[in-house]
Amino acid sequence: MPRTPRNDRRVLISGASIAGPALAYWLDRYGFEVTVVEKAAAVRGGGYAVDIRGTAREVVDRMGLLPRLREAHVGTQRITFVDVEGEVIGSFEPEQVTGGHAGLDLEVRRGDLADALHTPLRDRVEFLFRDSIAALEEDGEGVEVVLDSGVRRRFDLVIGADGLHSNTRRLVLGPEEPFHHYLGHVFAGFTLPNEFGLAHEARVWNEPGRTAALYAHEPSEPVHGFLTFAREDPPFEAFRDPKAQRDLVAESFPYQGWHVPRLVAAMREADDLFFDVVSQIHLPAWSRGRVALAGDAAHATSFLSGQGSSVALVGAYILAGELAVHDDHGAAFVAYEERMRPFAERNQALADAGGTVVTPTTREQLDARNAVLRGRGSAASGLVTEGAEEGRAAHSGLVLPDYAEAIGAVAGD
């Protein structure tokens, strides 16, 4: 039974990708009045596949979403690595690298997950699309918010769930750079026709510091292409210039082997290019006053960890629950961070192992990885196994509190 706190009723969430709608779901369930603002025109469809593992799987189960997400499961069966000529070196089952559990983990298109989260909220939560927060001014009783559209609204709390380059975080804590932990890679993602005969498989080509990959789901669907390259400094200057992004990626892949030229050409032509850096966010605190951060805005793990969406789902559950059981938002934010930070940091650490396997930077790392694939190098093989075991432990490294039970106990139900 939802509790009725004495204050903190109206909450504005910035961002309608994963963390934002998940947080909105739980806050609405606990009786909060929720508004979500999103700069895109609608919930984004499509997108590459994301994984839901461990504790996050329990979260979507408690949301009643497991049946729908099982239907949307795309099920990558193997990751195959090829050499510079395109010849197969060897394959891993994804779980051998990620530490996941075959048959339990969910792998769904990002858009399918976003839609599953959004659907139960359509008639319950206010969504403001094509808009974003322009200014925040907090006083002792609430937060005055001005949107880009010129609308002025007042809320008790504001939550930034607006991603790695969070606008909310910038408005409250200042420029991103002090909190941006760059992992030394830049990537471009896009779709292209499946001219390769691939299904339920990823194919990966490497040179030291360069990775080209094709991820295929159904054979009749477009494949997702990725071009990832090592770079000493993040190219912040290219973020606002699509042509500069495409030029930078193309210049980093002059190779003629495998399908690299086709991938570069597709990247040049793509109307869905997603260009970004491989980075994490490390903050000294996830809240200030009446504003808190969730998902990648608070603790981006990077795609090398494979855990961004899972950690976002867990964090949304914890943040909403702590707000529901605490009358004071400050105490709730402290409890949220105390529970979530160790889990988030443990999953951030997985990026190191993931990067060595999928995006080796040096010739030594690449040769060790290929030795594993060819059945040689017991030490290297042990390293992969150790990484998978740590992955399994990290994925399930937080036991979910039962907030519904706690709320009932506090309310005297």
Side-chain angles (χ1 to χ4, degrees), residues 316-392:
Y317 176 89
I318 297 295
L319 176 53
E322 295 299 338
L323 285 169
V325 299
H326 288 88
D327 289 328
D328 176 68
H329 66 273
F333 290 160
V334 168
Y336 154 62
E337 187 168 344
E338 286 179 347
R339 284 190 186 273
M340 268 301 296
R341 183 179 283 274
F343 181 70
E345 291 179 348
R346 190 170 187 180
N347 280 276
Q348 284 178 329
L350 298 178
D352 293 336
T356 300
V357 175
V358 181
T359 57
T361 303
T362 67
R363 174 58 61 183
E364 291 74 18
Q365 289 175 345
L366 180 58
D367 289 346
R369 196 277 314 275
N370 289 346
V372 174
L373 291 167
R374 295 186 175 108
R376 303 197 307 268
S378 58
S381 181
L383 178 62
V384 173
T385 301
E386 181 181 342
E389 290 175 352
E390 173 54 29
R392 279 188 286 273

Side-chain angles (χ1 to χ4, degrees), residues 39 71 131 158 178 208 215 232 271 327:
K39 65 182 179 180
E71 289 182 2
D131 215 342
V158 174
Y215 282 77
E232 184 174 351
D271 60 6
D327 289 328

Side-chain angles (χ1 to χ4, degrees), residues 23-376:
L23 178 61
Y25 171 90
W26 289 109
L27 288 175
D28 173 72
R29 182 166 172 174
Y30 298 142
F32 289 77
E33 181 182 331
V34 183
T35 297
V36 180
V37 62
E38 166 57 49
K39 65 182 179 180
V43 174
R44 294 182 177 93
Y48 55 85
V50 298
D51 297 301
I52 304 171
R53 307 186 184 101
T55 305
R57 189 181 184 279
E58 185 177 349
V59 171
V60 297
D61 189 17
R62 293 188 185 188
M63 298 174 79
L65 297 180
L66 266 186
R68 177 169 179 175
L69 294 178
R70 283 196 189 106
E71 289 182 2
H73 180 66
V74 297
T76 300
Q77 297 171 0
R78 61 184 177 274
I79 303 174
T80 298
F81 296 84
V82 300
D83 64 17
V84 292
E85 303 300 328
E87 297 297 322
V88 172
I89 300 170
S91 297
F92 281 131
E93 293 177 358
E95 294 78 17
Q96 290 178 268
V97 180
T98 65
H101 292 277
L104 289 178
D105 295 353
L106 296 167
E107 183 186 10
V108 298
R109 297 168 186 83
R110 190 176 187 87
D112 288 342
L113 175 57
D115 187 64
L117 294 168
H118 178 251
T119 296
L121 302 175
R122 287 174 181 162
D123 298 325
R124 300 185 58 86
V125 167
E126 179 185 28
F127 281 83
L128 304 176
F129 290 104
R130 296 189 178 92
D131 215 342
S132 61
I133 300 174
L136 298 167
E137 185 174 347
E138 181 180 341
D139 56 38
E141 300 299 323
V143 186
E144 195 77 17
V145 177
V146 180
L147 301 180
D148 283 339
S149 61
V151 172
R152 184 181 291 270
R153 298 274 294 272
R154 187 172 179 80
F155 298 89
D156 296 296
L157 301 172
V158 174
I159 310 296
D162 43 358
L164 175 68
H165 307 297
S166 169
N167 175 57
T168 310
R169 187 182 62 232
R170 178 185 62 81
L171 290 170
V172 176
L173 300 180
E176 177 179 312
E177 284 76 6
F179 316 120
H180 187 116
H181 181 62
Y182 177 55
L183 298 184
H185 287 81
V186 180
F187 74 95
F190 47 92
T191 57
L192 65 161
N194 190 352
E195 304 165 348
F196 314 97
L198 298 177
H200 302 289
E201 179 182 5
R203 293 234 163 181
V204 182
W205 171 98
N206 294 102
E207 278 287 282
R210 301 290 184 272
T211 300
L214 291 166
Y215 282 77
H217 304 317
E218 299 298 330
S220 59
E221 297 178 355
V223 296
H224 293 273
F226 289 92
L227 294 169
T228 305
F229 57 96
R231 179 183 165 97
E232 184 174 351
D233 299 309
F236 288 118
E237 70 281 357
F239 282 161
R240 295 178 179 84
D241 187 344
K243 183 179 184 302
Q245 295 170 9
R246 296 174 198 269
D247 288 345
L248 178 61
V249 177
E251 291 165 4
S252 301
F253 285 87
Y255 308 96
Q256 296 304 308
W258 190 53
H259 299 301
V260 173
R262 176 71 184 95
L263 281 162
V264 171
M267 180 274 303
R268 287 279 197 192
E269 301 163 1
D271 60 6
D272 60 354
L273 178 65
F274 180 58
F275 173 93
D276 211 338
V277 289
V278 181
S279 297
Q280 298 177 340
I281 294 297
H282 293 181
L283 288 169
W286 296 350
S287 64
R288 175 175 291 178
R290 290 178 172 269
V291 182
L293 301 170
D296 281 356
H299 45 63
T301 61
S302 88
F303 82 78
L304 291 181
S305 75
Q307 279 293 93
S309 295
S310 286
V311 176
L313 288 166
V314 175
Y317 176 89
I318 297 295
L319 176 53
E322 295 299 338
L323 285 169
V325 299
H326 288 88
D327 289 328
D328 176 68
H329 66 273
F333 290 160
V334 168
Y336 154 62
E337 187 168 344
E338 286 179 347
R339 284 190 186 273
M340 268 301 296
R341 183 179 283 274
F343 181 70
E345 291 179 348
R346 190 170 187 180
N347 280 276
Q348 284 178 329
L350 298 178
D352 293 336
T356 300
V357 175
V358 181
T359 57
T361 303
T362 67
R363 174 58 61 183
E364 291 74 18
Q365 289 175 345
L366 180 58
D367 289 346
R369 196 277 314 275
N370 289 346
V372 174
L373 291 167
R374 295 186 175 108
R376 303 197 307 268

